[in-house]
Amino acid sequence: MNRLDGKVAIISGGARGIGGETARRMAEHGAKVIVGDVLEAEGAETVKAIRDAGGDASFVLLDVTKAAAWENAVAVAVKNYGGVDILLNNAGAYITKPILETTQEDFAKLVAVNLEGVFLGTKICAPEMIRRAQSAPVGSAIVNISSVAGMVGSRNSPVYSMTKGGVRLFTKSTALEFAKRRVRCNSVHPGLIDTPMGNLAMQRPGSSRSNTDMRELFANSHPIGRIGAPRDIASAVVFLSSDDAAFITGTEFIVDGGVTAQ
Ligand SMILES: NC(=O)c1ccc[n+]([C@@H]2O[C@H](COP(=O)([O-])OP(=O)(O)OC[C@H]3O[C@@H](n4cnc5c(N)ncnc54)[C@H](O)[C@@H]3O)[C@@H](O)[C@H]2O)c1
Protein backbone atom coordinates (compact mmCIF):
# COMPACT_ATOMS: atom_id res chain seq x y z
CA MET A 1 0.00 0.00 0.00
CA ASN A 2 1.03 3.61 -0.70
CA ARG A 3 4.29 2.56 -2.34
CA LEU A 4 6.18 5.21 -4.30
CA ASP A 5 8.63 2.89 -6.10
CA GLY A 6 10.12 4.47 -9.21
CA LYS A 7 8.71 7.90 -8.43
CA VAL A 8 10.75 11.11 -8.13
CA ALA A 9 9.66 13.78 -5.64
CA ILE A 10 10.62 17.44 -5.20
CA ILE A 11 9.96 18.69 -1.67
CA SER A 12 10.20 22.40 -0.88
CA GLY A 13 11.20 23.17 2.69
CA GLY A 14 12.47 19.59 2.84
CA ALA A 15 15.34 20.25 5.26
CA ARG A 16 13.43 19.94 8.54
CA GLY A 17 10.03 19.73 10.19
CA ILE A 18 7.15 18.31 8.16
CA GLY A 19 9.15 18.51 4.90
CA GLY A 20 12.15 16.67 6.37
CA GLU A 21 10.00 13.88 7.81
CA THR A 22 8.07 13.54 4.54
CA ALA A 23 11.35 13.30 2.61
CA ARG A 24 12.45 10.41 4.84
CA ARG A 25 9.06 8.68 4.61
CA MET A 26 8.84 9.04 0.83
CA ALA A 27 12.34 7.55 0.50
CA GLU A 28 11.30 4.65 2.79
CA HIS A 29 8.41 4.07 0.39
CA GLY A 30 10.78 3.85 -2.56
CA ALA A 31 10.81 7.39 -3.99
CA LYS A 32 13.92 9.27 -5.04
CA VAL A 33 13.79 12.64 -3.32
CA ILE A 34 15.00 16.13 -4.14
CA VAL A 35 15.24 18.01 -0.84
CA GLY A 36 14.90 21.72 -1.64
CA ASP A 37 15.45 24.38 1.02
CA VAL A 38 17.27 27.58 1.93
CA LEU A 39 18.83 25.76 4.92
CA GLU A 40 21.87 24.00 3.45
CA ALA A 41 23.27 22.32 6.59
CA GLU A 42 19.89 20.89 7.69
CA GLY A 43 19.13 19.87 4.10
CA ALA A 44 22.43 17.99 3.86
CA GLU A 45 21.63 16.21 7.15
CA THR A 46 18.24 15.08 5.84
CA VAL A 47 19.83 13.77 2.64
CA LYS A 48 22.51 11.94 4.65
CA ALA A 49 19.86 10.30 6.89
CA ILE A 50 18.00 9.08 3.80
CA ARG A 51 21.17 7.71 2.18
CA ASP A 52 22.31 6.08 5.45
CA ALA A 53 18.95 4.28 5.56
CA GLY A 54 19.51 2.96 2.02
CA GLY A 55 17.40 5.53 0.16
CA ASP A 56 18.24 7.96 -2.62
CA ALA A 57 18.11 11.75 -2.22
CA SER A 58 19.82 14.95 -3.39
CA PHE A 59 19.85 18.44 -1.92
CA VAL A 60 19.17 21.55 -4.01
CA LEU A 61 19.39 25.11 -2.77
CA LEU A 62 15.84 26.31 -3.33
CA ASP A 63 14.35 29.65 -2.39
CA VAL A 64 10.73 29.09 -3.39
CA THR A 65 10.28 32.79 -4.22
CA LYS A 66 12.85 32.57 -7.06
CA ALA A 67 11.82 31.14 -10.43
CA ALA A 68 15.44 30.35 -11.39
CA ALA A 69 15.84 28.22 -8.24
CA TRP A 70 12.77 26.16 -9.17
CA GLU A 71 14.08 25.72 -12.74
CA ASN A 72 17.33 24.43 -11.26
CA ALA A 73 15.46 21.99 -8.97
CA VAL A 74 13.62 20.51 -11.96
CA ALA A 75 16.86 20.31 -13.97
CA VAL A 76 18.58 18.43 -11.11
CA ALA A 77 15.61 16.03 -10.78
CA VAL A 78 15.72 15.30 -14.52
CA LYS A 79 19.51 14.92 -14.57
CA ASN A 80 19.80 12.76 -11.43
CA TYR A 81 16.58 10.74 -11.63
CA GLY A 82 14.97 11.20 -15.06
CA GLY A 83 12.01 13.48 -14.23
CA VAL A 84 9.48 14.62 -11.60
CA ASP A 85 6.35 12.68 -10.50
CA ILE A 86 5.57 14.31 -7.16
CA LEU A 87 5.74 17.94 -6.03
CA LEU A 88 5.26 18.77 -2.35
CA ASN A 89 4.79 22.52 -1.90
CA ASN A 90 5.63 22.54 1.80
CA ALA A 91 7.94 25.53 2.48
CA GLY A 92 6.16 28.05 4.64
CA ALA A 93 6.61 31.22 6.68
CA TYR A 94 4.62 32.15 9.80
CA ILE A 95 4.16 35.12 12.10
CA THR A 96 1.96 35.73 15.12
CA LYS A 97 0.71 39.30 14.81
CA PRO A 98 -2.73 40.88 14.85
CA ILE A 99 -3.79 42.78 11.72
CA LEU A 100 -3.18 46.17 13.37
CA GLU A 101 0.47 45.28 14.09
CA THR A 102 1.27 43.54 10.79
CA THR A 103 3.54 45.64 8.54
CA GLN A 104 3.54 45.66 4.75
CA GLU A 105 6.95 43.95 4.93
CA ASP A 106 5.48 41.12 7.08
CA PHE A 107 2.64 40.79 4.59
CA ALA A 108 4.98 40.71 1.57
CA LYS A 109 7.17 38.00 3.18
CA LEU A 110 4.22 35.72 3.94
CA VAL A 111 2.69 36.20 0.50
CA ALA A 112 6.05 35.61 -1.22
CA VAL A 113 6.81 32.30 0.52
CA ASN A 114 3.32 30.88 1.12
CA LEU A 115 1.56 31.96 -2.09
CA GLU A 116 4.10 33.00 -4.74
CA GLY A 117 6.27 30.00 -3.78
CA VAL A 118 3.37 27.59 -4.35
CA PHE A 119 2.45 29.28 -7.64
CA LEU A 120 6.03 29.21 -8.96
CA GLY A 121 6.61 25.61 -7.87
CA THR A 122 3.42 24.48 -9.58
CA LYS A 123 3.98 26.47 -12.78
CA ILE A 124 7.61 25.45 -13.17
CA CYS A 125 7.35 21.78 -12.18
CA ALA A 126 4.06 21.06 -14.01
CA PRO A 127 5.37 20.73 -17.60
CA GLU A 128 7.86 18.02 -16.58
CA MET A 129 5.23 16.32 -14.38
CA ILE A 130 2.72 16.30 -17.26
CA ARG A 131 5.37 14.82 -19.57
CA ARG A 132 6.16 12.00 -17.10
CA ALA A 133 2.48 11.42 -16.32
CA GLN A 134 1.71 10.37 -19.90
CA SER A 135 3.76 7.18 -19.53
CA ALA A 136 3.02 6.49 -15.83
CA PRO A 137 0.31 3.97 -14.83
CA VAL A 138 -1.69 6.55 -12.86
CA GLY A 139 0.01 9.91 -13.34
CA SER A 140 1.68 12.60 -11.24
CA ALA A 141 0.67 14.28 -7.98
CA ILE A 142 1.03 17.72 -6.42
CA VAL A 143 0.39 18.11 -2.69
CA ASN A 144 0.16 21.60 -1.19
CA ILE A 145 0.59 22.08 2.55
CA SER A 146 -2.06 24.52 3.72
CA SER A 147 -3.23 24.57 7.37
CA VAL A 148 -6.33 24.41 9.53
CA ALA A 149 -5.79 28.19 9.44
CA GLY A 150 -6.65 27.90 5.74
CA MET A 151 -10.07 26.46 6.65
CA VAL A 152 -11.13 28.86 9.40
CA GLY A 153 -9.99 32.31 10.54
CA SER A 154 -7.10 32.77 12.96
CA ARG A 155 -6.99 35.08 16.00
CA ASN A 156 -3.20 34.94 16.23
CA SER A 157 -1.98 34.85 12.63
CA PRO A 158 -4.54 36.49 10.31
CA VAL A 159 -2.25 37.10 7.32
CA TYR A 160 -0.82 33.58 7.54
CA SER A 161 -4.42 32.35 7.54
CA MET A 162 -5.13 34.50 4.48
CA THR A 163 -2.24 32.92 2.56
CA LYS A 164 -3.20 29.37 3.58
CA GLY A 165 -6.79 29.99 2.47
CA GLY A 166 -5.32 31.01 -0.88
CA VAL A 167 -3.36 27.76 -1.09
CA ARG A 168 -6.59 25.83 -0.44
CA LEU A 169 -8.38 27.32 -3.44
CA PHE A 170 -5.32 27.41 -5.72
CA THR A 171 -5.12 23.65 -5.12
CA LYS A 172 -8.63 23.17 -6.50
CA SER A 173 -7.91 25.36 -9.56
CA THR A 174 -4.70 23.42 -10.18
CA ALA A 175 -6.62 20.14 -9.92
CA LEU A 176 -9.14 21.34 -12.50
CA GLU A 177 -6.52 22.68 -14.93
CA PHE A 178 -4.42 19.50 -14.87
CA ALA A 179 -7.01 16.73 -14.34
CA LYS A 180 -7.14 15.65 -18.00
CA ARG A 181 -3.34 15.85 -18.19
CA ARG A 182 -3.04 13.18 -15.47
CA VAL A 183 -1.71 15.41 -12.69
CA ARG A 184 -3.72 15.32 -9.45
CA CYS A 185 -3.51 18.11 -6.85
CA ASN A 186 -4.69 18.07 -3.23
CA SER A 187 -4.14 20.18 -0.11
CA VAL A 188 -3.23 18.93 3.36
CA HIS A 189 -4.38 20.95 6.38
CA PRO A 190 -2.27 20.22 9.46
CA GLY A 191 -3.33 21.22 12.96
CA LEU A 192 -0.61 22.10 15.45
CA ILE A 193 2.47 20.00 14.65
CA ASP A 194 5.62 19.63 16.76
CA THR A 195 8.17 21.44 14.54
CA PRO A 196 10.12 24.72 14.86
CA MET A 197 7.11 26.51 13.32
CA GLY A 198 4.69 24.70 15.61
CA ASN A 199 6.76 25.75 18.63
CA LEU A 200 6.59 29.35 17.44
CA ALA A 201 2.82 29.05 17.17
CA MET A 202 2.61 27.80 20.77
CA GLN A 203 4.47 30.80 22.18
CA ARG A 204 2.49 33.59 23.78
CA PRO A 205 4.95 36.46 24.39
CA GLY A 206 4.17 38.18 27.68
CA SER A 207 2.31 35.17 29.10
CA SER A 208 3.41 33.96 32.54
CA ARG A 209 2.92 30.31 31.46
CA SER A 210 6.01 28.16 30.87
CA ASN A 211 6.62 26.43 27.52
CA THR A 212 5.73 23.08 29.15
CA ASP A 213 2.43 24.52 30.40
CA MET A 214 1.66 25.89 26.94
CA ARG A 215 2.35 22.51 25.30
CA GLU A 216 0.02 20.80 27.77
CA LEU A 217 -2.65 23.41 27.19
CA PHE A 218 -2.45 22.91 23.42
CA ALA A 219 -2.38 19.11 23.74
CA ASN A 220 -5.56 19.22 25.82
CA SER A 221 -7.26 21.48 23.29
CA HIS A 222 -7.03 18.64 20.74
CA PRO A 223 -9.89 16.10 21.00
CA ILE A 224 -7.31 13.35 20.42
CA GLY A 225 -5.32 14.59 23.45
CA ARG A 226 -1.98 15.47 21.88
CA ILE A 227 -0.45 17.81 19.33
CA GLY A 228 0.59 16.32 15.99
CA ALA A 229 3.96 14.87 14.99
CA PRO A 230 5.58 15.50 11.58
CA ARG A 231 4.98 11.80 10.84
CA ASP A 232 1.20 12.33 11.08
CA ILE A 233 1.38 14.75 8.15
CA ALA A 234 4.00 12.74 6.23
CA SER A 235 1.66 9.70 6.22
CA ALA A 236 -1.15 11.74 4.67
CA VAL A 237 1.21 13.20 2.03
CA VAL A 238 2.61 9.77 1.12
CA PHE A 239 -0.93 8.46 0.62
CA LEU A 240 -2.04 11.41 -1.53
CA SER A 241 1.16 11.13 -3.62
CA SER A 242 0.71 7.41 -4.20
CA ASP A 243 -1.29 5.61 -6.89
CA ASP A 244 -3.69 4.49 -4.12
CA ALA A 245 -5.10 8.04 -4.31
CA ALA A 246 -5.67 7.76 -8.08
CA PHE A 247 -9.28 9.13 -7.95
CA ILE A 248 -8.59 11.87 -5.39
CA THR A 249 -8.00 15.37 -6.74
CA GLY A 250 -8.96 18.89 -5.67
CA THR A 251 -9.74 17.79 -2.13
CA GLU A 252 -8.82 19.03 1.36
CA PHE A 253 -7.24 16.52 3.69
CA ILE A 254 -7.49 17.72 7.31
CA VAL A 255 -5.00 16.16 9.75
CA ASP A 256 -5.63 17.95 13.04
CA GLY A 257 -6.52 15.49 15.81
CA GLY A 258 -10.17 16.55 15.59
CA VAL A 259 -9.72 20.30 16.22
CA THR A 260 -11.91 21.48 13.33
CA ALA A 261 -14.52 18.79 14.04
CA GLN A 262 -15.65 20.77 17.11
N1 LIG B 1 3.90 23.14 12.39
C1 LIG B 1 2.63 23.45 12.37
O1 LIG B 1 1.98 23.52 13.41
C2 LIG B 1 1.94 23.69 11.05
C3 LIG B 1 0.54 23.73 11.06
C4 LIG B 1 -0.14 23.95 9.86
C5 LIG B 1 0.57 24.09 8.68
N2 LIG B 1 1.94 24.04 8.71
C6 LIG B 1 2.62 24.21 7.43
O2 LIG B 1 3.47 23.12 7.21
C7 LIG B 1 4.57 23.51 6.38
C8 LIG B 1 5.87 23.06 7.01
O3 LIG B 1 6.00 23.73 8.25
P1 LIG B 1 6.87 23.16 9.47
O4 LIG B 1 5.99 23.14 10.65
O5 LIG B 1 7.60 21.95 9.07
O6 LIG B 1 7.85 24.41 9.66
P2 LIG B 1 9.44 24.52 9.78
O7 LIG B 1 9.70 25.95 10.06
O8 LIG B 1 9.96 23.49 10.68
O9 LIG B 1 9.91 24.15 8.30
C9 LIG B 1 9.67 25.00 7.23
C10 LIG B 1 10.74 24.77 6.19
O10 LIG B 1 10.49 25.67 5.10
C11 LIG B 1 11.73 26.25 4.73
N3 LIG B 1 11.55 27.54 4.07
C12 LIG B 1 11.12 28.70 4.59
N4 LIG B 1 11.16 29.68 3.67
C13 LIG B 1 11.64 29.10 2.51
C14 LIG B 1 11.92 29.58 1.22
N5 LIG B 1 11.75 30.88 0.89
N6 LIG B 1 12.38 28.71 0.29
C15 LIG B 1 12.57 27.39 0.63
N7 LIG B 1 12.36 26.89 1.85
C16 LIG B 1 11.89 27.74 2.78
C17 LIG B 1 12.48 26.40 6.07
O11 LIG B 1 13.86 26.63 5.85
C18 LIG B 1 12.15 25.09 6.74
O12 LIG B 1 13.04 24.07 6.40
C19 LIG B 1 4.43 25.01 6.21
O13 LIG B 1 3.82 25.31 4.97
C20 LIG B 1 3.52 25.41 7.35
O14 LIG B 1 2.83 26.61 7.08
C21 LIG B 1 2.62 23.83 9.85
Side-chain angles (χ1 to χ4, degrees):
M1 287 280 281
N2 302 340
R3 292 294 307 179
L4 302 176
D5 295 305
K7 294 188 189 288
V8 181
I10 295 181
I11 300 182
S12 76
R16 71 176 191 199
I18 291 169
E21 180 62 18
T22 307
R24 288 186 289 275
R25 292 272 282 161
M26 282 192 178
E28 277 168 28
H29 280 75
K32 296 173 167 62
V33 182
I34 299 286
V35 173
D37 209 297
V38 288
L39 300 176
E40 288 189 64
E42 287 90 335
E45 273 174 39
T46 300
V47 165
K48 183 175 181 308
I50 290 171
R51 290 185 181 159
D52 287 351
D56 202 345
S58 306
F59 176 75
V60 294
L61 191 58
L62 172 68
D63 177 343
V64 293
T65 67
K66 305 278 187 287
W70 275 110
E71 281 154 11
N72 176 55
V74 174
V76 172
V78 171
K79 179 169 163 282
N80 290 9
Y81 305 126
V84 184
D85 305 285
I86 298 166
L87 167 64
L88 175 60
N89 280 312
N90 162 78
Y94 177 83
I95 53 163
T96 312
K97 274 190 188 177
I99 296 165
L100 295 184
E101 286 172 24
T102 304
T103 65
Q104 260 185 296
E105 287 72 27
D106 294 331
F107 180 89
K109 169 85 195 292
L110 288 171
V111 167
V113 178
N114 297 356
L115 284 176
E116 200 173 0
V118 173
F119 160 69
L120 287 175
T122 303
K123 180 180 164 65
I124 293 167
C125 294
E128 179 53 34
M129 296 178 76
I130 291 167
R131 186 192 70 74
R132 282 272 280 199
Q134 305 320 305
S135 57
V138 167
S140 302
I142 300 172
V143 179
N144 295 329
I145 302 294
S146 175
S147 170
V148 290
M151 310 293 297
V152 296
S154 168
R155 285 189 189 85
N156 302 309
S157 45
V159 176
Y160 174 79
S161 172
M162 179 188 190
T163 62
K164 292 298 184 177
V167 169
R168 173 172 167 255
L169 279 188
F170 184 65
T171 300
K172 295 179 192 304
S173 303
T174 305
L176 295 174
E177 184 165 334
F178 296 146
K180 291 267 175 11
R181 284 177 268 186
R182 310 188 84 224
V183 180
R184 299 179 296 103
C185 183
N186 294 290
S187 55
V188 171
H189 300 259
L192 187 59
I193 308 298
D194 198 359
T195 67
M197 187 187 288
N199 286 322
L200 198 63
M202 277 187 271
Q203 282 169 21
R204 290 290 174 272
S207 160
S208 57
R209 289 196 162 98
S210 70
N211 281 355
T212 320
D213 284 353
M214 289 309 290
R215 286 179 77 88
E216 204 178 315
L217 204 68
F218 276 104
N220 289 333
S221 73
H222 288 64
I224 232 164
R226 65 170 174 90
I227 64 170
R231 193 176 178 87
D232 294 316
I233 306 305
S235 301
V237 175
V238 167
F239 165 63
L240 289 170
S241 308
S242 77
D243 291 355
D244 288 336
F247 199 51
I248 302 177
T249 196
T251 196
E252 312 159 345
F253 202 113
I254 299 174
V255 188
D256 70 348
V259 166
T260 51
Q262 298 172 108

